[in-house]
Tab-separated table of all heavy atoms in Angstrom:
chain	number	residue	atom	x	y	z
X	111	ARG	N	12.867	40.978	-5.073
X	111	ARG	CA	14.008	40.006	-5.111
X	111	ARG	C	13.618	38.804	-4.363
X	111	ARG	O	14.095	37.701	-4.656
X	111	ARG	CB	15.121	40.840	-4.493
X	111	ARG	CG	16.473	40.009	-4.259
X	111	ARG	CD	17.478	41.083	-4.004
X	111	ARG	NE	18.600	40.664	-3.307
X	111	ARG	CZ	19.571	41.534	-2.701
X	111	ARG	NH1	19.446	42.758	-2.830
X	111	ARG	NH2	20.589	41.125	-2.120
X	155	PRO	N	19.356	39.040	10.139
X	155	PRO	CA	19.463	40.410	10.563
X	155	PRO	C	18.167	41.274	10.071
X	155	PRO	O	17.464	40.837	9.194
X	155	PRO	CB	20.653	40.876	9.930
X	155	PRO	CG	20.668	40.250	8.581
X	155	PRO	CD	20.004	38.837	8.898
X	157	ASN	N	18.655	44.223	8.382
X	157	ASN	CA	18.916	45.208	7.385
X	157	ASN	C	18.429	44.610	5.861
X	157	ASN	O	18.280	45.546	5.103
X	157	ASN	CB	20.506	45.498	7.401
X	157	ASN	CG	21.355	44.342	6.995
X	157	ASN	OD1	20.935	43.119	7.226
X	157	ASN	ND2	22.470	44.640	6.421
X	158	PHE	N	18.349	43.387	5.718
X	158	PHE	CA	17.707	42.928	4.549
X	158	PHE	C	16.635	42.080	5.108
X	158	PHE	O	16.875	40.747	5.006
X	158	PHE	CB	18.713	42.225	3.610
X	158	PHE	CG	19.623	43.087	2.781
X	158	PHE	CD1	20.911	43.568	3.365
X	158	PHE	CD2	19.190	43.633	1.624
X	158	PHE	CE1	21.651	44.475	2.640
X	158	PHE	CE2	19.984	44.531	0.841
X	158	PHE	CZ	21.195	44.878	1.372
X	161	ALA	N	15.168	39.666	1.976
X	161	ALA	CA	16.120	38.948	1.072
X	161	ALA	C	16.880	37.971	1.843
X	161	ALA	O	16.961	36.862	1.371
X	161	ALA	CB	17.073	40.006	0.405
X	162	ILE	N	17.415	38.244	2.975
X	162	ILE	CA	18.246	37.340	3.685
X	162	ILE	C	17.439	36.095	4.214
X	162	ILE	O	17.893	34.895	3.946
X	162	ILE	CB	19.235	38.071	4.724
X	162	ILE	CG1	20.096	38.967	4.057
X	162	ILE	CG2	19.897	36.947	5.585
X	162	ILE	CD1	21.047	39.711	4.902
X	165	TRP	N	16.798	34.124	1.180
X	165	TRP	CA	17.974	33.343	0.493
X	165	TRP	C	18.559	32.248	1.426
X	165	TRP	O	19.282	31.378	0.909
X	165	TRP	CB	18.915	34.289	-0.141
X	165	TRP	CG	20.132	34.822	0.640
X	165	TRP	CD1	20.946	34.273	1.523
X	165	TRP	CD2	20.618	36.213	0.569
X	165	TRP	NE1	21.954	35.134	1.959
X	165	TRP	CE2	21.854	36.213	1.394
X	165	TRP	CE3	20.322	37.333	-0.163
X	165	TRP	CZ2	22.607	37.379	1.420
X	165	TRP	CZ3	21.095	38.463	-0.137
X	165	TRP	CH2	22.134	38.515	0.788
X	232	THR	N	23.582	35.567	9.888
X	232	THR	CA	24.047	36.751	9.324
X	232	THR	C	23.930	37.843	10.304
X	232	THR	O	22.914	38.028	10.930
X	232	THR	CB	23.269	37.253	8.106
X	232	THR	OG1	23.461	36.282	7.072
X	232	THR	CG2	23.901	38.451	7.523
X	233	GLY	N	25.103	38.534	10.705
X	233	GLY	CA	25.028	39.522	11.720
X	233	GLY	C	26.444	39.985	12.060
X	233	GLY	O	27.316	40.002	11.258
X	255	GLU	N	27.817	34.886	7.981
X	255	GLU	CA	28.007	36.038	7.127
X	255	GLU	C	28.062	37.248	7.908
X	255	GLU	O	27.136	37.534	8.590
X	255	GLU	CB	26.801	36.016	6.115
X	255	GLU	CG	27.251	36.441	4.614
X	255	GLU	CD	27.459	37.916	4.641
X	255	GLU	OE1	26.454	38.545	4.423
X	255	GLU	OE2	28.542	38.440	4.654
X	256	LEU	N	29.337	37.810	8.048
X	256	LEU	CA	29.503	38.824	9.194
X	256	LEU	C	29.821	40.218	8.477
X	256	LEU	O	29.190	40.555	7.368
X	256	LEU	CB	30.766	38.415	9.952
X	256	LEU	CG	30.512	36.978	10.614
X	256	LEU	CD1	31.735	36.474	11.344
X	256	LEU	CD2	29.261	36.922	11.467
X	287	GLN	N	23.762	50.808	5.778
X	287	GLN	CA	23.594	49.665	6.805
X	287	GLN	C	23.410	48.362	5.900
X	287	GLN	O	22.427	47.576	5.922
X	287	GLN	CB	22.274	49.906	7.474
X	287	GLN	CG	22.269	51.105	8.317
X	287	GLN	CD	20.923	51.418	8.963
X	287	GLN	OE1	20.787	51.414	10.150
X	287	GLN	NE2	19.954	51.849	8.108
X	288	LYS	N	24.528	48.173	5.156
X	288	LYS	CA	24.700	46.886	4.459
X	288	LYS	C	26.129	46.359	4.750
X	288	LYS	O	27.071	47.192	4.874
X	288	LYS	CB	24.667	47.064	2.917
X	288	LYS	CG	23.416	47.627	2.308
X	288	LYS	CD	23.465	47.895	0.953
X	288	LYS	CE	22.178	48.674	0.407
X	288	LYS	NZ	22.107	48.837	-1.114
X	289	CYS	N	26.323	45.091	4.890
X	289	CYS	CA	27.689	44.615	5.199
X	289	CYS	C	28.441	44.714	3.848
X	289	CYS	O	29.665	44.738	3.933
X	289	CYS	CB	27.627	43.088	5.604
X	289	CYS	SG	26.828	42.099	4.498
X	290	THR	N	27.761	45.012	2.663
X	290	THR	CA	28.542	45.217	1.469
X	290	THR	C	28.726	46.757	1.180
X	290	THR	O	29.222	47.109	0.009
X	290	THR	CB	27.774	44.629	0.320
X	290	THR	OG1	26.342	45.075	0.499
X	290	THR	CG2	27.816	43.118	0.197
X	291	ALA	N	28.510	47.614	2.116
X	291	ALA	CA	28.507	49.033	1.861
X	291	ALA	C	29.890	49.433	1.695
X	291	ALA	O	30.807	48.892	2.216
X	291	ALA	CB	27.901	49.824	2.973
X	387	PHE	N	28.426	50.916	11.056
X	387	PHE	CA	27.228	50.569	10.253
X	387	PHE	C	26.297	51.736	10.033
X	387	PHE	O	25.233	51.802	10.525
X	387	PHE	CB	26.483	49.387	10.932
X	387	PHE	CG	25.938	48.406	10.050
X	387	PHE	CD1	26.752	47.694	9.146
X	387	PHE	CD2	24.580	48.066	10.024
X	387	PHE	CE1	26.218	46.754	8.268
X	387	PHE	CE2	24.119	47.064	9.229
X	387	PHE	CZ	24.902	46.413	8.364
X	413	LEU	N	34.826	41.209	2.456
X	413	LEU	CA	33.434	40.870	1.841
X	413	LEU	C	33.324	41.373	0.384
X	413	LEU	O	33.471	40.521	-0.407
X	413	LEU	CB	32.330	41.440	2.711
X	413	LEU	CG	31.009	40.959	2.192
X	413	LEU	CD1	30.772	39.520	2.148
X	413	LEU	CD2	29.868	41.587	3.087
X	442	GLN	N	29.114	49.480	-7.987
X	442	GLN	CA	29.273	49.661	-6.513
X	442	GLN	C	29.468	48.354	-5.700
X	442	GLN	O	29.253	47.337	-6.224
X	442	GLN	CB	28.012	50.497	-5.992
X	442	GLN	CG	26.790	49.587	-6.255
X	442	GLN	CD	25.587	49.879	-5.210
X	442	GLN	OE1	25.955	49.933	-4.061
X	442	GLN	NE2	24.526	50.085	-5.626
X	443	THR	N	30.001	48.497	-4.508
X	443	THR	CA	30.314	47.332	-3.768
X	443	THR	C	29.168	46.532	-3.203
X	443	THR	O	29.295	45.382	-2.888
X	443	THR	CB	31.135	47.752	-2.451
X	443	THR	OG1	30.346	48.769	-1.688
X	443	THR	CG2	32.454	48.367	-2.794
X	444	ALA	N	27.974	47.086	-3.162
X	444	ALA	CA	26.691	46.411	-2.667
X	444	ALA	C	26.021	45.690	-3.840
X	444	ALA	O	26.401	46.079	-5.054
X	444	ALA	CB	25.834	47.422	-1.964
X	445	GLY	N	25.167	44.829	-3.433
X	445	GLY	CA	24.301	44.111	-4.454
X	445	GLY	C	24.672	42.643	-4.479
X	445	GLY	O	25.830	42.407	-4.363
X	446	ALA	N	23.653	41.917	-4.850
X	446	ALA	CA	23.893	40.500	-4.815
X	446	ALA	C	22.902	39.869	-5.885
X	446	ALA	O	21.744	39.885	-5.550
X	446	ALA	CB	23.927	39.844	-3.432
X	447	ASP	N	23.314	39.330	-6.814
X	447	ASP	CA	22.364	38.580	-7.770
X	447	ASP	C	21.984	37.203	-7.094
X	447	ASP	O	22.781	36.700	-6.271
X	447	ASP	CB	22.987	38.192	-9.156
X	447	ASP	CG	22.906	39.369	-10.194
X	447	ASP	OD1	22.355	40.416	-9.682
X	447	ASP	OD2	23.382	39.239	-11.160
X	452	PHE	N	27.412	34.160	-2.807
X	452	PHE	CA	27.652	35.315	-2.128
X	452	PHE	C	28.367	35.055	-0.812
X	452	PHE	O	27.999	34.089	-0.082
X	452	PHE	CB	26.281	35.919	-1.809
X	452	PHE	CG	26.491	37.216	-0.984
X	452	PHE	CD1	26.598	38.497	-1.593
X	452	PHE	CD2	26.492	37.121	0.341
X	452	PHE	CE1	26.721	39.672	-0.802
X	452	PHE	CE2	26.520	38.290	1.220
X	452	PHE	CZ	26.723	39.522	0.557
X	464	GLU	N	26.814	31.461	0.447
X	464	GLU	CA	25.360	31.395	0.354
X	464	GLU	C	24.959	31.611	-1.136
X	464	GLU	O	25.779	32.047	-1.937
X	464	GLU	CB	24.766	32.504	1.063
X	464	GLU	CG	25.080	32.502	2.610
X	464	GLU	CD	24.135	33.295	3.509
X	464	GLU	OE1	23.129	32.911	3.753
X	464	GLU	OE2	24.528	34.476	3.759
X	465	GLN	N	23.796	31.438	-1.442
X	465	GLN	CA	23.125	31.809	-2.666
X	465	GLN	C	23.642	30.990	-3.856
X	465	GLN	O	24.696	30.388	-3.751
X	465	GLN	CB	23.248	33.264	-2.977
X	465	GLN	CG	22.669	34.151	-1.991
X	465	GLN	CD	21.973	35.385	-2.624
X	465	GLN	OE1	20.809	35.225	-3.054
X	465	GLN	NE2	22.544	36.504	-2.539
D	501	UN1	C1	23.454	43.202	-0.947
D	501	UN1	O1	24.464	44.009	-0.983
D	501	UN1	O2	22.531	43.427	-1.681
D	501	UN1	O3	23.805	41.969	5.465
D	501	UN1	C2	23.307	42.130	-0.073
D	501	UN1	C3	24.184	42.344	4.470
D	501	UN1	C4	24.614	41.284	3.408
D	501	UN1	C5	23.741	41.338	2.142
D	501	UN1	C6	24.161	42.386	1.253
D	501	UN1	N1	24.592	40.031	4.004
D	501	UN1	O4	24.292	43.564	4.300
Side-chain angles (χ1 to χ4, degrees):
R111 176 165 155 192
N157 68 331
F158 283 90
I162 292 178
W165 89 40
T232 298
E255 217 279 282
L256 306 174
Q287 300 171 114
K288 301 181 185 178
C289 57
T290 46
F387 216 59
L413 185 55
Q442 60 151 313
T443 56
D447 274 2
F452 178 89
E464 303 195 80
Q465 296 219 85

